[in-house]
Amino acid sequence: MSWTDERIETLRTLWEKGLTASQIAEKLGNVSRNAVIGKAHRLGLKARPSPVKADSDGTPRDTAKKAAAPPAAPKPKPEAAAQAATPAPRPAPETKAPAPAAPKPMQTRPTIPAAPAKPRAPGEKVTLLDLSDKICKWPIGHPGEPDFQFCGRPVNPSFPYCLAHCAEAYQAQLPRDRNRPSRAPMPPLPRVR
DNA sequence: CCCTGATTCGC
DNA sequence: GCGAATCAGG
């Protein structure tokens, strides 16, 4: 559907009224939240508190979007595949818990290529405050101890851990039946979207 | 995970 | 001009 004068007027009104982009999109119908935001900006309706816009000065949102740098940064694109990997003992961070330390390997298997990448400023610990959906939350050390920190490498997309730690956390539930040979359908490695 | 607005860029 | 995809933050 297109932006008729009427729809534009509605957009203006609701936007200035303070409704969120998604609310407006819903009222209008047949448009996405993104469409609303995009149109609002093009109309010059702007400036509503954005979560991301909180910069007081320094960080000028230098976001290097796509297209920016073709050569310089080769992003590691893992290619493991998996289906139903039974979530093995997950690390239990939080304030107590003896720490995951060793989600025991029930079966050895070749270690995954592992994720290089190093987003962290050299030397600094990854603390609770650094956590986000995008960095590996695998705890290193024991909570409460001075040097406790998190892995901090980039996550395997849609997982809470990096590729290497996904391999730790999600392992196949191998047959425990003694009678049956464990020919094991093997490798349920972390899926990579 | 849900949500927010902002931005980019292929169409 | 449009808006999906992405980002960055709550």
Side-chain angles (χ1 to χ4, degrees):
Chain A
M1 195 167 271
S2 60
W3 285 106
T4 63
D5 288 3
E6 235 174 88
R7 291 166 67 76
I8 290 177
E9 191 184 349
T10 306
L11 168 55
R12 275 212 168 88
T13 304
L14 297 180
W15 183 270
E16 283 162 27
K17 210 170 160 187
L19 297 193
T20 69
S22 26
Q23 288 173 320
I24 296 173
E26 193 182 3
K27 278 233 168 198
L28 287 173
N30 300 306
V31 269
S32 69
R33 181 180 71 93
N34 277 340
V36 168
I37 292 174
K39 186 58 179 174
H41 280 212
R42 267 173 258 123
L43 286 174
L45 307 176
K46 53 177 184 301
R48 278 221 270 107
S50 159
V52 178
K53 205 49 190 271
D55 52 318
S56 28
D57 78 299
T59 317
R61 174 186 287 280
D62 55 322
T63 306
K65 242 291 195 159
K66 45 181 155 187
K75 276 184 92 175
K77 199 67 174 187
E79 71 294 288
Q83 306 287 65
T86 305
R90 268 155 151 266
E94 291 323 303
T95 40
K96 41 177 283 193
K104 45 152 8 162
M106 20 176 19
Q107 191 92 121
T108 33
R109 81 165 48 75
T111 305
I112 285 191
K118 188 203 269 189
R120 238 37 234 166
E124 272 317 289
K125 286 197 306 183
V126 179
T127 75
L128 199 52
L129 299 180
D130 298 316
L131 296 183
S132 77
D133 286 350
K134 301 172 187 59
I135 82 172
C136 180
K137 300 171 189 60
W138 189 273
I140 310 283
H142 301 292
E145 291 182 359
D147 56 330
F148 174 70
Q149 62 177 300
F150 295 90
C151 166
R153 281 180 296 190
V155 293
N156 178 11
S158 87
F159 286 89
Y161 310 118
C162 68
L163 197 52
H165 284 138
C166 273
E168 286 285 323
Y170 307 108
Q171 297 184 29
Q173 182 60 56
L174 298 174
R176 18 178 67 201
D177 183 4
R178 281 193 240 67
N179 300 326
R180 198 179 322 169
S182 57
R183 60 188 55 174
M186 271 311 266
L189 298 177
R191 175 191 316 146
V192 173
R193 181 171 52 168

